[in-house]
Amino acid sequence: MRKKSIAVVGRVAEGVELLDGQTVKTKILCEELLRCFPECKLICVDTYQYRKNFLSILVQMIRAFLECEHIFILLSRNGRKFFIPVLTGINIIFRRRLYHDVVGGALPDEAKKCPALRKQLQRFEVNWVEFSAMKEQLKEIGVTNVEVLPNFKRLQILSAEQLPVQWQEPFVFTMFSRVLKEKGMETAAKAITEVNGRFGKKRAVLRIYGAVENCYKEAFELLLEQYKDCVSYMGCIPFDQSVEVLRDSYMLLFPSVYRGEGMPGTIIDAFSAGLPVIATDWHFNGELVRNGETGYCYDWRNEELLTEHIIYAIEHPKEVNSMRKFCLKEAKKYTPDVSMKQICARMNSCKK
């Protein structure tokens, strides 16, 4: 690389405890770039509260274009609307190499509705999306510079020998994500209660980890009170401690219908802990959770199916245990060592 600086544009929220997928993904990329290029200076343009800090962020962006040949961009839906026109416009002057590491799964729908966005996406060196289905959807509307780059985390993947094989009741089901309605908190709580009602005793409990969104705090407190016999809120944990927390759970529940859902980091956490997942088939979850191998996927429009899958899992512990080794094998696809090879190869393929 000719220049000795690399820039990352995305939400880091320095000094603020944010554990959402966008922030975690941006921080992880920054860490891995420093591992791969220790001789380079990393300039981080933090887009946190960008409407309030736009002038400061703009100055930092211009500095990044002045000093860096390689600029990585990680933005969510609103950030894309705001910054992609700015970044691609500035690059008409500077001609830097812009890499768009797509956050979430909403980009194909956004680009389909916005011809200007499709043109802007073509100006990047590459648009890295998390699923092959996203790549195909973008190709269908004329965005051709697309590659699949799965989400990744540096986690300590358990060995098969570390997996638990015996389970005591009640079975612990876990949710590990941002806490808001669209992530399926109420759906999961109702399902656990229904399961226990059908068995006539408490055979399942739900533990919830994650940051509670401000808009959902009051409703979540009511939910915890309503289902206090079988639902517990366990607070926040750093993303790099997830495996240790999840390893003693029976399965992960992911009944999300969140509109921006991409490749959920929580499923990577679960696989690394050898934890099968029960998930909706919302967006691209079906590419990640394979029925009978790494968990169960169900039609998101039929919430009752979550109850049925939990009951089935409780009644078939040998089948659940057999899926754990598949989960560990799957987790190895989502390590930084795999993904950074692809990123470095793209950075080194300099245009002449």
Side-chain angles (χ1 to χ4, degrees):
M1 297 186 295
R2 293 187 298 274
K3 293 181 179 289
K4 291 298 182 181
S5 296
I6 300 171
V8 174
V9 179
R11 186 164 70 188
V12 176
E14 198 66 45
V16 181
E17 187 180 23
L18 287 182
L19 298 172
D20 61 283
Q22 178 190 0
T23 306
V24 170
K25 184 172 183 175
T26 306
K27 287 181 176 179
I28 289 172
L29 180 62
C30 289
E31 291 171 2
E32 297 305 325
L33 286 169
L34 286 172
R35 285 177 187 267
C36 290
F37 304 101
E39 76 285 358
C40 291
K41 178 181 179 181
L42 181 71
I43 296 175
C44 180
V45 181
D46 188 356
T47 60
Y48 179 59
Q49 294 188 335
Y50 61 86
R51 296 184 187 277
K52 178 181 177 181
N53 302 314
F54 175 68
L55 288 178
S56 171
I57 292 170
L58 182 61
V59 170
Q60 294 174 59
M61 283 184 178
I62 292 173
R63 176 192 169 204
F65 277 95
L66 285 168
E67 297 187 23
C68 305
E69 178 184 356
H70 301 272
I71 300 175
F72 293 81
I73 298 159
L74 297 91
L75 301 166
S76 61
R77 180 192 296 262
N78 292 330
R80 285 192 285 266
K81 291 179 183 178
F82 200 85
F83 283 116
I84 283 182
V86 175
L87 290 161
T88 53
I90 294 174
N91 204 40
I92 292 172
I93 300 170
F94 288 96
R95 313 291 292 179
R96 302 304 186 215
R97 305 191 73 197
L98 306 185
Y99 310 91
H100 183 205
D101 194 354
V102 178
V103 174
L107 183 64
D109 286 339
E110 294 169 26
K112 187 175 182 179
K113 297 173 184 175
C114 183
L117 177 58
R118 295 199 292 273
K119 291 179 182 179
Q120 291 157 2
L121 294 175
Q122 287 291 109
R123 295 175 184 167
F124 293 126
E125 286 286 327
V126 64
N127 295 278
W128 281 312
V129 298
E130 296 174 336
F131 292 104
S132 57
M134 291 180 67
K135 177 181 178 179
E136 293 306 312
Q137 290 174 15
L138 287 166
K139 283 180 63 179
E140 287 174 4
I141 57 175
V143 182
T144 57
N145 56 338
V146 184
E147 294 177 3
V148 177
L149 180 71
N151 200 356
F152 58 90
K153 289 186 172 184
R154 187 169 291 279
L155 298 170
Q156 187 65 47
I157 300 172
L158 295 183
S159 66
E161 292 71 28
Q162 292 175 296
L163 295 175
V165 293
Q166 299 292 329
W167 300 97
Q168 293 182 340
E169 294 189 15
F171 291 86
V172 176
F173 293 83
T174 298
M175 296 184 72
F176 178 47
S177 69
R178 292 161 62 195
V179 178
L180 70 164
K181 183 177 181 178
E182 293 81 4
K183 290 287 186 175
M185 303 296 155
E186 295 170 22
T187 302
K190 290 176 184 177
I192 293 291
T193 300
E194 175 66 19
V195 167
N196 291 335
R198 291 202 201 176
F199 283 117
K201 61 178 181 177
K202 187 160 72 174
R203 297 199 68 188
V205 295
L206 176 64
R207 293 176 182 170
I208 298 173
Y209 296 86
V212 183
E213 296 289 296
N214 288 331
C215 62
Y216 190 58
K217 283 184 176 179
E218 185 175 343
F220 186 56
E221 288 175 2
L222 292 174
L223 180 148
L224 292 174
E225 178 61 28
Q226 181 178 356
Y227 299 103
K228 61 184 177 183
D229 61 321
C230 59
V231 178
S232 301
Y233 176 59
M234 310 301 290
C236 297
I237 57 169
F239 67 86
D240 57 356
Q241 296 177 18
S242 59
V243 171
E244 190 62 30
V245 169
L246 292 173
R247 63 184 298 175
D248 294 326
S249 297
Y250 190 60
M251 298 188 80
L252 183 86
L253 301 185
F254 193 69
S256 176
V257 290
Y258 179 65
R259 68 172 186 168
E261 207 71 75
M263 179 175 284
T266 185
I267 294 182
I268 299 174
D269 296 315
F271 288 169
S272 299
L275 208 63
V277 180
I278 304 177
T280 57
D281 60 359
W282 180 256
H283 282 200
F284 308 101
N285 289 346
E287 270 195 51
L288 198 55
V289 179
R290 295 194 300 275
N291 277 314
E293 287 191 15
T294 54
Y296 308 110
C297 242
Y298 67 92
D299 186 340
W300 65 270
R301 293 162 294 194
N302 188 351
E303 293 182 357
E304 180 62 24
L305 291 176
L306 177 58
T307 302
E308 300 301 330
H309 279 303
I310 293 172
I311 290 173
Y312 182 86
I314 289 173
E315 293 181 331
H316 297 83
K318 289 184 179 180
E319 183 174 322
V320 173
N321 281 341
S322 71
M323 290 192 285
R324 296 185 187 281
K325 291 182 181 179
F326 284 105
C327 292
L328 296 180
K329 182 179 179 181
E330 198 72 6
K332 294 176 182 177
K333 297 179 181 179
Y334 309 111
T335 64
D337 294 339
V338 172
S339 296
M340 289 307 296
K341 286 181 182 178
Q342 183 177 344
I343 291 173
C344 293
R346 170 61 70 169
M347 292 174 71
N348 289 326
S349 63
C350 294
K351 293 180 177 179
K352 303 298 182 182

